[in-house]
Amino acid sequence: MPKLWKESIDEHRRSVRDAITEAAWRLAEEHGPLSLTMSQVAGAAGIGRATLYKYFTDIESILVAHHARHVEDHLRTLEDLGAEAQPPGARLVAVADAYASICFHRGRHSYADISALVHRGPEVAEAERRIHSVFAGLIADAAAEGLVRTDLGPDELAAYCRFALEASSQAKDLDEVARLTRVALDGLGYPSQAQDAHQRAAIRNHHQSH
């Protein structure tokens, strides 16, 4: 099969798959996943049922695929921020800000019935491991420069920081998210003045890249 033809077919399949998962997730949010049928998803995605079954076997597999794609996007964002060519402290602040924002938006668009379906299985454990690894690595680097406390190890501090930031899922607005992020970083022993400097630098870098 010619390379360009294969790439075109792969792109088409990704497009159809994305249309299916987006349609199913939207319908699940509107009506709940338990009442959702494959026929409804096919209609909303603009495809036939036969085509739908070529991609997915049931509603649960569609919703899990949609959730997995979004989780992967978030993980890559955090890992990319953690690997940027910035001082360790700046990278830690950037990742903490990003993770708090992810938790905030997840909390505003979370539905219990859907969450029960998608938050299980080995993929969830792997996502947790990757997030923990990002925080533990950055905290170890920051500790080496005397920016955070050292009476606890990076793994312990990473677990604390993640759970503290996850309180952002209950925040009323982004200002509260920013305050909760500061509390989490304070708990690491991270100096407030350094936090402010790194947050200002992150804002400048964001504007320069857009």
Side-chain angles (χ1 to χ4, degrees), residues 25 28-29 32-33 60 63-64 67 106-107 109-121 124:
W25 194 271
E29 289 180 335
E60 181 176 346
L63 297 178
V64 167
H67 179 257
R106 183 178 62 202
H109 300 284
S110 179
Y111 298 84
D113 288 344
I114 302 177
S115 294
L117 282 176
V118 300
H119 286 101
R120 60 189 183 188
V124 175

Side-chain angles (χ1 to χ4, degrees), residues 34-196:
L34 300 181
S35 63
L36 194 57
T37 68
M38 295 292 273
S39 293
Q40 288 174 315
V41 173
I47 60 175
R49 286 185 61 192
T51 300
L52 175 59
Y53 278 104
K54 290 179 180 178
Y55 288 85
F56 297 100
T57 58
D58 53 33
I59 296 298
E60 181 176 346
S61 64
I62 301 174
L63 297 178
V64 167
H66 182 278
H67 179 257
R69 181 164 62 86
H70 278 269
V71 168
E72 182 61 29
D73 289 344
H74 290 155
L75 287 169
R76 287 181 180 176
T77 295
L78 296 174
E79 289 170 345
D80 288 347
L81 286 171
E84 283 188 348
Q86 299 289 333
R91 287 184 278 126
L92 177 57
V93 170
V95 168
D97 284 340
Y99 189 62
S101 178
I102 288 169
C103 292
F104 171 69
H105 290 292
R106 183 178 62 202
R108 292 170 70 88
H109 300 284
S110 179
Y111 298 84
D113 288 344
I114 302 177
S115 294
L117 282 176
V118 300
H119 286 101
R120 60 189 183 188
E123 297 84 1
V124 175
E126 174 61 12
E128 293 287 324
R129 185 199 65 76
R130 286 171 63 183
I131 294 171
H132 181 85
S133 178
V134 171
F135 275 100
L138 290 172
I139 288 170
D141 290 345
E145 295 197 0
L147 291 173
V148 299
R149 59 195 299 170
T150 56
D151 56 330
L152 295 171
D155 281 326
E156 295 171 294
L157 291 175
Y160 152 76
C161 190
R162 282 182 50 218
F163 286 122
L165 293 170
E166 285 167 11
S168 297
S169 65
Q170 304 298 317
K172 298 186 296 293
D173 52 41
L174 289 173
D175 287 338
E176 185 175 346
V177 172
R179 293 193 295 272
L180 289 169
T181 302
R182 178 177 288 273
V183 169
L185 292 171
D186 285 344
L188 296 178
Y190 200 106
S192 295
Q193 289 182 335
Q195 290 183 45
D196 292 338

